[in-house]
Amino acid sequence: MKVCICKNVSDRQIREALDQGARTLRDVYRELGVGSECGKCICATREIIAEHPFLHLANEVIAA
């Protein structure tokens, strides 16, 4: 699914960036340009980041 129409970025590309080490919206912006034009993709990008497994693993480590 296209998340960022302006930069032609899909949810798959965002997840790949997260798999390769991006952790924040700023990281995804730097790598893919998401949110640099109209900004309508920012909410969807934040949701993808929040759903990514690294966040859940970090919370489990902190809680342990």
Side-chain angles (χ1 to χ4, degrees):
M1 166 182 86
K2 290 295 176 199
V3 174
C4 180
I5 304 287
C6 300
K7 294 293 185 175
N8 195 32
V9 177
S10 69
D11 60 324
R12 180 179 296 177
Q13 290 172 286
I14 293 170
R15 286 186 181 90
E16 286 174 0
L18 295 171
D19 289 342
Q20 295 173 5
R23 293 294 177 254
T24 65
L25 181 60
R26 182 173 287 170
D27 293 340
V28 176
Y29 164 81
R30 286 182 187 146
E31 186 162 335
L32 301 172
V34 171
S36 63
E37 297 288 327
C38 75
K40 291 182 180 180
C41 57
I42 291 174
C43 288
T45 302
R46 283 186 178 138
E47 288 178 15
I48 294 168
I49 293 169
E51 293 170 356
H52 198 271
F54 76 81
L55 188 60
H56 303 293
L57 292 173
N59 288 336
E60 288 177 17
V61 169
I62 292 170

Short mmCIF file of all heavy atoms in Angstrom, two decimals:
data_model
loop_
_atom_site.label_atom_id
_atom_site.label_comp_id
_atom_site.label_asym_id
_atom_site.label_seq_id
_atom_site.Cartn_x
_atom_site.Cartn_y
_atom_site.Cartn_z
N MET A 1 0.85 -1.17 0.00
CA MET A 1 0.00 0.00 0.00
C MET A 1 0.90 1.24 0.00
O MET A 1 1.88 1.30 0.74
CB MET A 1 -0.87 -0.04 1.25
CG MET A 1 -1.56 1.26 1.57
SD MET A 1 -2.53 1.19 3.09
CE MET A 1 -1.28 1.57 4.28
N LYS A 2 0.55 2.21 -0.82
CA LYS A 2 1.29 3.46 -0.83
C LYS A 2 0.94 4.27 0.41
O LYS A 2 -0.21 4.48 0.72
CB LYS A 2 0.97 4.30 -2.07
CG LYS A 2 1.51 3.71 -3.34
CD LYS A 2 3.01 3.71 -3.33
CE LYS A 2 3.52 3.01 -4.58
NZ LYS A 2 4.88 2.58 -4.48
N VAL A 3 1.95 4.69 1.12
CA VAL A 3 1.77 5.52 2.30
C VAL A 3 2.04 6.98 1.94
O VAL A 3 1.29 7.86 2.30
CB VAL A 3 2.71 5.06 3.44
CG1 VAL A 3 2.63 6.00 4.63
CG2 VAL A 3 2.35 3.64 3.86
N CYS A 4 3.11 7.20 1.21
CA CYS A 4 3.50 8.55 0.81
C CYS A 4 3.38 8.66 -0.71
O CYS A 4 4.22 8.13 -1.45
CB CYS A 4 4.93 8.86 1.25
SG CYS A 4 5.49 10.51 0.81
N ILE A 5 2.34 9.33 -1.14
CA ILE A 5 2.11 9.50 -2.58
C ILE A 5 3.17 10.42 -3.18
O ILE A 5 3.68 10.19 -4.27
CB ILE A 5 0.70 10.10 -2.83
CG1 ILE A 5 -0.37 9.24 -2.20
CG2 ILE A 5 0.46 10.32 -4.31
CD1 ILE A 5 -0.66 7.94 -2.86
N CYS A 6 3.52 11.48 -2.47
CA CYS A 6 4.47 12.48 -2.99
C CYS A 6 5.82 11.86 -3.32
O CYS A 6 6.45 12.21 -4.32
CB CYS A 6 4.66 13.61 -1.98
SG CYS A 6 3.16 14.51 -1.59
N LYS A 7 6.30 10.96 -2.47
CA LYS A 7 7.61 10.34 -2.66
C LYS A 7 7.52 8.90 -3.14
O LYS A 7 8.53 8.21 -3.24
CB LYS A 7 8.42 10.39 -1.35
CG LYS A 7 8.78 11.79 -0.91
CD LYS A 7 9.75 12.42 -1.88
CE LYS A 7 10.20 13.77 -1.37
NZ LYS A 7 11.23 14.34 -2.21
N ASN A 8 6.27 8.43 -3.40
CA ASN A 8 6.05 7.07 -3.90
C ASN A 8 6.66 6.02 -2.97
O ASN A 8 7.40 5.14 -3.39
CB ASN A 8 6.60 6.93 -5.33
CG ASN A 8 6.08 5.69 -6.02
OD1 ASN A 8 4.96 5.26 -5.77
ND2 ASN A 8 6.90 5.10 -6.87
N VAL A 9 6.31 6.11 -1.68
CA VAL A 9 6.85 5.20 -0.66
C VAL A 9 5.72 4.30 -0.16
O VAL A 9 4.64 4.77 0.21
CB VAL A 9 7.46 5.98 0.52
CG1 VAL A 9 7.95 5.04 1.60
CG2 VAL A 9 8.60 6.86 0.03
N SER A 10 5.99 3.01 -0.11
CA SER A 10 5.01 2.03 0.34
C SER A 10 5.25 1.66 1.81
O SER A 10 6.32 1.91 2.36
CB SER A 10 5.08 0.78 -0.52
OG SER A 10 6.29 0.09 -0.27
N ASP A 11 4.26 1.01 2.39
CA ASP A 11 4.40 0.52 3.76
C ASP A 11 5.52 -0.52 3.82
O ASP A 11 6.25 -0.59 4.80
CB ASP A 11 3.09 -0.06 4.28
CG ASP A 11 2.55 -1.23 3.47
OD1 ASP A 11 2.70 -1.22 2.22
OD2 ASP A 11 1.97 -2.13 4.07
N ARG A 12 5.71 -1.28 2.77
CA ARG A 12 6.78 -2.28 2.72
C ARG A 12 8.15 -1.61 2.81
O ARG A 12 9.02 -2.07 3.54
CB ARG A 12 6.68 -3.10 1.45
CG ARG A 12 7.77 -4.17 1.36
CD ARG A 12 7.66 -4.99 0.12
NE ARG A 12 6.40 -5.72 0.16
CZ ARG A 12 5.97 -6.49 -0.83
NH1 ARG A 12 6.67 -6.61 -1.92
NH2 ARG A 12 4.83 -7.13 -0.73
N GLN A 13 8.32 -0.49 2.10
CA GLN A 13 9.59 0.22 2.14
C GLN A 13 9.86 0.78 3.54
O GLN A 13 10.99 0.76 4.02
CB GLN A 13 9.60 1.36 1.12
CG GLN A 13 9.67 0.88 -0.31
CD GLN A 13 9.48 2.02 -1.27
OE1 GLN A 13 8.37 2.52 -1.44
NE2 GLN A 13 10.56 2.44 -1.90
N ILE A 14 8.81 1.26 4.20
CA ILE A 14 8.97 1.79 5.56
C ILE A 14 9.37 0.66 6.50
O ILE A 14 10.28 0.80 7.31
CB ILE A 14 7.69 2.48 6.03
CG1 ILE A 14 7.46 3.75 5.18
CG2 ILE A 14 7.77 2.84 7.52
CD1 ILE A 14 6.12 4.40 5.39
N ARG A 15 8.70 -0.49 6.38
CA ARG A 15 9.05 -1.63 7.24
C ARG A 15 10.48 -2.11 6.98
O ARG A 15 11.19 -2.48 7.91
CB ARG A 15 8.05 -2.76 7.03
CG ARG A 15 6.71 -2.47 7.67
CD ARG A 15 5.76 -3.65 7.59
NE ARG A 15 4.48 -3.31 8.18
CZ ARG A 15 3.46 -2.77 7.51
NH1 ARG A 15 3.56 -2.55 6.21
NH2 ARG A 15 2.34 -2.47 8.12
N GLU A 16 10.90 -2.09 5.73
CA GLU A 16 12.28 -2.47 5.41
C GLU A 16 13.27 -1.50 6.04
O GLU A 16 14.31 -1.92 6.56
CB GLU A 16 12.48 -2.51 3.89
CG GLU A 16 11.83 -3.70 3.23
CD GLU A 16 11.89 -3.66 1.72
OE1 GLU A 16 12.46 -2.70 1.14
OE2 GLU A 16 11.36 -4.60 1.10
N ALA A 17 12.95 -0.21 6.02
CA ALA A 17 13.82 0.78 6.66
C ALA A 17 13.89 0.51 8.16
O ALA A 17 14.96 0.61 8.77
CB ALA A 17 13.31 2.19 6.39
N LEU A 18 12.77 0.15 8.77
CA LEU A 18 12.75 -0.17 10.20
C LEU A 18 13.56 -1.43 10.48
O LEU A 18 14.29 -1.50 11.46
CB LEU A 18 11.31 -0.33 10.69
CG LEU A 18 10.45 0.93 10.62
CD1 LEU A 18 8.99 0.59 10.91
CD2 LEU A 18 10.96 2.00 11.56
N ASP A 19 13.44 -2.42 9.61
CA ASP A 19 14.22 -3.65 9.76
C ASP A 19 15.72 -3.38 9.66
O ASP A 19 16.53 -4.08 10.27
CB ASP A 19 13.84 -4.68 8.68
CG ASP A 19 12.46 -5.27 8.90
OD1 ASP A 19 11.92 -5.17 10.03
OD2 ASP A 19 11.91 -5.83 7.93
N GLN A 20 16.08 -2.36 8.91
CA GLN A 20 17.49 -2.03 8.70
C GLN A 20 18.02 -1.02 9.70
O GLN A 20 19.16 -0.57 9.58
CB GLN A 20 17.69 -1.52 7.27
CG GLN A 20 17.42 -2.57 6.24
CD GLN A 20 17.45 -2.04 4.82
OE1 GLN A 20 17.78 -0.88 4.59
NE2 GLN A 20 17.10 -2.89 3.87
N GLY A 21 17.20 -0.64 10.69
CA GLY A 21 17.73 0.18 11.77
C GLY A 21 17.05 1.51 12.02
O GLY A 21 17.33 2.15 13.02
N ALA A 22 16.19 1.95 11.13
CA ALA A 22 15.44 3.19 11.40
C ALA A 22 14.55 2.95 12.61
O ALA A 22 13.99 1.87 12.78
CB ALA A 22 14.60 3.58 10.19
N ARG A 23 14.46 3.93 13.49
CA ARG A 23 13.67 3.76 14.71
C ARG A 23 12.64 4.87 14.94
O ARG A 23 11.74 4.70 15.75
CB ARG A 23 14.59 3.69 15.94
CG ARG A 23 15.46 2.45 15.96
CD ARG A 23 14.59 1.22 16.11
NE ARG A 23 15.33 -0.01 16.07
CZ ARG A 23 15.35 -0.85 15.03
NH1 ARG A 23 14.71 -0.56 13.93
NH2 ARG A 23 16.03 -1.97 15.09
N THR A 24 12.81 5.98 14.26
CA THR A 24 11.93 7.13 14.49
C THR A 24 11.40 7.65 13.16
O THR A 24 11.90 7.30 12.09
CB THR A 24 12.69 8.27 15.19
OG1 THR A 24 13.72 8.75 14.30
CG2 THR A 24 13.29 7.82 16.51
N LEU A 25 10.41 8.53 13.25
CA LEU A 25 9.89 9.19 12.07
C LEU A 25 11.01 9.97 11.37
O LEU A 25 11.11 9.97 10.15
CB LEU A 25 8.74 10.12 12.45
CG LEU A 25 8.08 10.87 11.30
CD1 LEU A 25 7.49 9.92 10.27
CD2 LEU A 25 7.01 11.81 11.84
N ARG A 26 11.86 10.59 12.13
CA ARG A 26 12.99 11.33 11.56
C ARG A 26 13.92 10.40 10.77
O ARG A 26 14.39 10.76 9.70
CB ARG A 26 13.77 12.04 12.65
CG ARG A 26 14.94 12.86 12.10
CD ARG A 26 15.58 13.67 13.17
NE ARG A 26 14.66 14.77 13.47
CZ ARG A 26 14.80 15.58 14.50
NH1 ARG A 26 15.81 15.44 15.33
NH2 ARG A 26 13.95 16.55 14.70
N ASP A 27 14.17 9.21 11.31
CA ASP A 27 15.01 8.24 10.59
C ASP A 27 14.38 7.86 9.25
O ASP A 27 15.06 7.79 8.23
CB ASP A 27 15.20 6.96 11.41
CG ASP A 27 16.01 7.15 12.68
OD1 ASP A 27 16.75 8.15 12.77
OD2 ASP A 27 15.89 6.29 13.57
N VAL A 28 13.07 7.60 9.25
CA VAL A 28 12.37 7.22 8.03
C VAL A 28 12.35 8.39 7.05
O VAL A 28 12.54 8.21 5.85
CB VAL A 28 10.93 6.72 8.35
CG1 VAL A 28 10.17 6.41 7.08
CG2 VAL A 28 10.98 5.49 9.25
N TYR A 29 12.18 9.59 7.56
CA TYR A 29 12.23 10.79 6.73
C TYR A 29 13.59 10.91 6.03
O TYR A 29 13.66 11.15 4.83
CB TYR A 29 11.95 12.03 7.59
CG TYR A 29 12.35 13.33 6.94
CD1 TYR A 29 11.53 13.93 6.00
CD2 TYR A 29 13.55 13.95 7.27
CE1 TYR A 29 11.89 15.13 5.40
CE2 TYR A 29 13.93 15.14 6.68
CZ TYR A 29 13.10 15.73 5.74
OH TYR A 29 13.46 16.90 5.14
N ARG A 30 14.64 10.73 6.79
CA ARG A 30 15.99 10.85 6.22
C ARG A 30 16.25 9.80 5.14
O ARG A 30 16.89 10.09 4.13
CB ARG A 30 17.03 10.71 7.31
CG ARG A 30 17.15 11.92 8.19
CD ARG A 30 18.23 11.72 9.22
NE ARG A 30 18.24 12.82 10.17
CZ ARG A 30 18.55 12.69 11.45
NH1 ARG A 30 18.91 11.52 11.94
NH2 ARG A 30 18.52 13.74 12.25
N GLU A 31 15.76 8.60 5.38
CA GLU A 31 16.04 7.51 4.45
C GLU A 31 15.13 7.53 3.22
O GLU A 31 15.59 7.27 2.10
CB GLU A 31 15.91 6.16 5.16
CG GLU A 31 16.33 5.02 4.28
CD GLU A 31 16.64 3.76 5.05
OE1 GLU A 31 16.98 3.84 6.24
OE2 GLU A 31 16.54 2.70 4.43
N LEU A 32 13.84 7.83 3.42
CA LEU A 32 12.88 7.69 2.34
C LEU A 32 12.21 9.00 1.90
O LEU A 32 11.51 9.02 0.90
CB LEU A 32 11.79 6.69 2.74
CG LEU A 32 12.27 5.28 3.08
CD1 LEU A 32 11.12 4.45 3.64
CD2 LEU A 32 12.89 4.62 1.87
N GLY A 33 12.38 10.06 2.69
CA GLY A 33 11.75 11.33 2.35
C GLY A 33 10.30 11.44 2.77
O GLY A 33 9.61 12.40 2.41
N VAL A 34 9.82 10.47 3.53
CA VAL A 34 8.43 10.48 3.99
C VAL A 34 8.15 11.73 4.81
O VAL A 34 8.91 12.07 5.71
CB VAL A 34 8.14 9.21 4.82
CG1 VAL A 34 6.80 9.27 5.49
CG2 VAL A 34 8.24 7.99 3.95
N GLY A 35 7.07 12.42 4.49
CA GLY A 35 6.67 13.60 5.25
C GLY A 35 7.33 14.89 4.81
O GLY A 35 7.10 15.93 5.42
N SER A 36 8.11 14.85 3.75
CA SER A 36 8.84 16.05 3.34
C SER A 36 8.06 16.95 2.39
O SER A 36 8.45 18.08 2.15
CB SER A 36 10.16 15.65 2.68
OG SER A 36 9.93 14.91 1.50
N GLU A 37 6.94 16.47 1.86
CA GLU A 37 6.14 17.27 0.93
C GLU A 37 4.87 17.75 1.62
O GLU A 37 4.91 18.71 2.36
CB GLU A 37 5.82 16.45 -0.33
CG GLU A 37 7.05 16.05 -1.12
CD GLU A 37 7.71 17.21 -1.86
OE1 GLU A 37 6.99 18.12 -2.30
OE2 GLU A 37 8.94 17.17 -2.00
N CYS A 38 3.77 17.05 1.43
CA CYS A 38 2.47 17.53 1.95
C CYS A 38 2.24 17.13 3.41
O CYS A 38 1.46 17.78 4.11
CB CYS A 38 1.32 17.04 1.08
SG CYS A 38 0.91 15.29 1.28
N GLY A 39 2.87 16.06 3.88
CA GLY A 39 2.75 15.64 5.28
C GLY A 39 1.58 14.74 5.60
O GLY A 39 1.41 14.32 6.75
N LYS A 40 0.76 14.40 4.62
CA LYS A 40 -0.42 13.56 4.89
C LYS A 40 -0.05 12.14 5.30
O LYS A 40 -0.86 11.43 5.86
CB LYS A 40 -1.33 13.53 3.67
CG LYS A 40 -2.00 14.85 3.41
CD LYS A 40 -2.94 14.76 2.24
CE LYS A 40 -3.60 16.12 2.01
NZ LYS A 40 -4.51 16.08 0.87
N CYS A 41 1.17 11.73 5.04
CA CYS A 41 1.60 10.36 5.32
C CYS A 41 2.16 10.19 6.73
O CYS A 41 2.44 9.07 7.16
CB CYS A 41 2.65 9.93 4.31
SG CYS A 41 4.09 11.02 4.29
N ILE A 42 2.32 11.25 7.45
CA ILE A 42 2.99 11.18 8.75
C ILE A 42 2.24 10.29 9.74
O ILE A 42 2.86 9.47 10.42
CB ILE A 42 3.23 12.59 9.31
CG1 ILE A 42 4.28 13.30 8.45
CG2 ILE A 42 3.67 12.55 10.76
CD1 ILE A 42 4.52 14.75 8.79
N CYS A 43 0.93 10.42 9.82
CA CYS A 43 0.16 9.61 10.77
C CYS A 43 0.29 8.12 10.45
O CYS A 43 0.50 7.31 11.35
CB CYS A 43 -1.30 10.02 10.76
SG CYS A 43 -1.59 11.62 11.54
N ALA A 44 0.17 7.77 9.17
CA ALA A 44 0.28 6.36 8.78
C ALA A 44 1.68 5.83 9.05
O ALA A 44 1.84 4.69 9.51
CB ALA A 44 -0.07 6.19 7.31
N THR A 45 2.68 6.66 8.82
CA THR A 45 4.06 6.24 9.08
C THR A 45 4.27 6.01 10.57
O THR A 45 4.89 5.03 10.97
CB THR A 45 5.05 7.30 8.56
OG1 THR A 45 4.83 7.49 7.16
CG2 THR A 45 6.48 6.87 8.79
N ARG A 46 3.74 6.88 11.40
CA ARG A 46 3.85 6.69 12.86
C ARG A 46 3.18 5.40 13.30
O ARG A 46 3.69 4.70 14.18
CB ARG A 46 3.23 7.88 13.59
CG ARG A 46 4.10 9.09 13.59
CD ARG A 46 3.52 10.18 14.46
NE ARG A 46 4.41 11.32 14.48
CZ ARG A 46 4.02 12.58 14.39
NH1 ARG A 46 2.74 12.87 14.31
NH2 ARG A 46 4.89 13.55 14.41
N GLU A 47 2.04 5.06 12.70
CA GLU A 47 1.36 3.81 13.04
C GLU A 47 2.21 2.60 12.67
O GLU A 47 2.30 1.65 13.44
CB GLU A 47 0.01 3.73 12.32
CG GLU A 47 -1.02 4.68 12.89
CD GLU A 47 -2.34 4.62 12.13
OE1 GLU A 47 -2.56 3.65 11.36
OE2 GLU A 47 -3.14 5.54 12.30
N ILE A 48 2.84 2.65 11.51
CA ILE A 48 3.71 1.54 11.08
C ILE A 48 4.89 1.40 12.05
O ILE A 48 5.25 0.29 12.44
CB ILE A 48 4.18 1.76 9.64
CG1 ILE A 48 2.99 1.67 8.69
CG2 ILE A 48 5.26 0.75 9.26
CD1 ILE A 48 3.27 2.13 7.27
N ILE A 49 5.46 2.52 12.45
CA ILE A 49 6.58 2.48 13.40
C ILE A 49 6.12 1.88 14.73
O ILE A 49 6.79 1.03 15.31
CB ILE A 49 7.17 3.89 13.61
CG1 ILE A 49 7.85 4.37 12.31
CG2 ILE A 49 8.15 3.91 14.78
CD1 ILE A 49 8.22 5.84 12.32
N ALA A 50 4.94 2.30 15.21
CA ALA A 50 4.42 1.81 16.50
C ALA A 50 4.10 0.32 16.46
O ALA A 50 4.21 -0.36 17.48
CB ALA A 50 3.17 2.61 16.88
N GLU A 51 3.75 -0.20 15.29
CA GLU A 51 3.41 -1.62 15.16
C GLU A 51 4.63 -2.50 14.94
O GLU A 51 4.53 -3.72 15.04
CB GLU A 51 2.46 -1.81 13.98
CG GLU A 51 1.10 -1.19 14.18
CD GLU A 51 0.26 -1.18 12.92
OE1 GLU A 51 0.78 -1.59 11.85
OE2 GLU A 51 -0.89 -0.75 12.99
N HIS A 52 5.77 -1.91 14.68
CA HIS A 52 6.96 -2.69 14.34
C HIS A 52 7.46 -3.48 15.56
O HIS A 52 7.46 -2.96 16.67
CB HIS A 52 8.06 -1.78 13.80
CG HIS A 52 9.11 -2.53 13.06
ND1 HIS A 52 10.21 -3.05 13.69
CD2 HIS A 52 9.20 -2.88 11.77
CE1 HIS A 52 10.95 -3.67 12.80
NE2 HIS A 52 10.36 -3.59 11.62
N PRO A 53 7.89 -4.71 15.37
CA PRO A 53 8.31 -5.57 16.48
C PRO A 53 9.43 -5.00 17.36
O PRO A 53 9.47 -5.30 18.54
CB PRO A 53 8.78 -6.85 15.80
CG PRO A 53 8.09 -6.87 14.49
CD PRO A 53 7.91 -5.43 14.10
N PHE A 54 10.34 -4.19 16.83
CA PHE A 54 11.43 -3.70 17.65
C PHE A 54 10.92 -2.91 18.85
O PHE A 54 11.50 -2.95 19.91
CB PHE A 54 12.43 -2.85 16.84
CG PHE A 54 11.94 -1.46 16.52
CD1 PHE A 54 12.03 -0.44 17.45
CD2 PHE A 54 11.41 -1.18 15.28
CE1 PHE A 54 11.59 0.84 17.15
CE2 PHE A 54 10.97 0.10 14.97
CZ PHE A 54 11.06 1.09 15.90
N LEU A 55 9.82 -2.21 18.69
CA LEU A 55 9.27 -1.41 19.79
C LEU A 55 8.78 -2.33 20.90
O LEU A 55 9.02 -2.07 22.07
CB LEU A 55 8.15 -0.51 19.28
CG LEU A 55 7.60 0.50 20.27
CD1 LEU A 55 8.71 1.45 20.73
CD2 LEU A 55 6.48 1.29 19.65
N HIS A 56 8.12 -3.40 20.55
CA HIS A 56 7.62 -4.35 21.55
C HIS A 56 8.76 -5.05 22.27
O HIS A 56 8.72 -5.24 23.48
CB HIS A 56 6.68 -5.38 20.90
CG HIS A 56 5.53 -4.74 20.21
ND1 HIS A 56 4.53 -4.07 20.87
CD2 HIS A 56 5.23 -4.66 18.89
CE1 HIS A 56 3.66 -3.60 20.00
NE2 HIS A 56 4.06 -3.94 18.79
N LEU A 57 9.82 -5.41 21.53
CA LEU A 57 10.97 -6.04 22.15
C LEU A 57 11.67 -5.09 23.12
O LEU A 57 12.09 -5.49 24.20
CB LEU A 57 11.96 -6.50 21.08
CG LEU A 57 11.49 -7.65 20.18
CD1 LEU A 57 12.49 -7.88 19.06
CD2 LEU A 57 11.27 -8.90 21.00
N ALA A 58 11.78 -3.82 22.74
CA ALA A 58 12.42 -2.84 23.62
C ALA A 58 11.64 -2.68 24.91
O ALA A 58 12.21 -2.61 26.00
CB ALA A 58 12.54 -1.50 22.91
N ASN A 59 10.31 -2.66 24.81
CA ASN A 59 9.48 -2.53 26.00
C ASN A 59 9.62 -3.75 26.91
O ASN A 59 9.62 -3.62 28.14
CB ASN A 59 8.02 -2.31 25.61
CG ASN A 59 7.78 -0.94 25.04
OD1 ASN A 59 8.54 -0.01 25.32
ND2 ASN A 59 6.75 -0.80 24.23
N GLU A 60 9.76 -4.93 26.33
CA GLU A 60 9.93 -6.14 27.14
C GLU A 60 11.28 -6.12 27.86
O GLU A 60 11.37 -6.52 29.02
CB GLU A 60 9.83 -7.38 26.24
CG GLU A 60 8.42 -7.65 25.76
CD GLU A 60 8.36 -8.84 24.83
OE1 GLU A 60 9.31 -9.64 24.79
OE2 GLU A 60 7.33 -8.97 24.13
N VAL A 61 12.32 -5.67 27.21
CA VAL A 61 13.64 -5.61 27.82
C VAL A 61 13.63 -4.60 28.97
O VAL A 61 14.18 -4.85 30.05
CB VAL A 61 14.71 -5.23 26.77
CG1 VAL A 61 16.03 -4.90 27.43
CG2 VAL A 61 14.87 -6.36 25.77
N ILE A 62 13.00 -3.46 28.76
CA ILE A 62 12.93 -2.43 29.80
C ILE A 62 12.15 -2.94 31.01
O ILE A 62 12.54 -2.69 32.15
CB ILE A 62 12.30 -1.13 29.24
CG1 ILE A 62 13.27 -0.50 28.23
CG2 ILE A 62 11.98 -0.16 30.35
CD1 ILE A 62 12.67 0.64 27.43
N ALA A 63 11.07 -3.68 30.77
CA ALA A 63 10.24 -4.18 31.84
C ALA A 63 10.93 -5.30 32.63
O ALA A 63 10.61 -5.52 33.80
CB ALA A 63 8.90 -4.68 31.30
N ALA A 64 11.85 -5.99 32.02
CA ALA A 64 12.50 -7.15 32.65
C ALA A 64 13.48 -6.77 33.71
O ALA A 64 13.82 -5.90 34.24
CB ALA A 64 13.21 -7.98 31.62
#
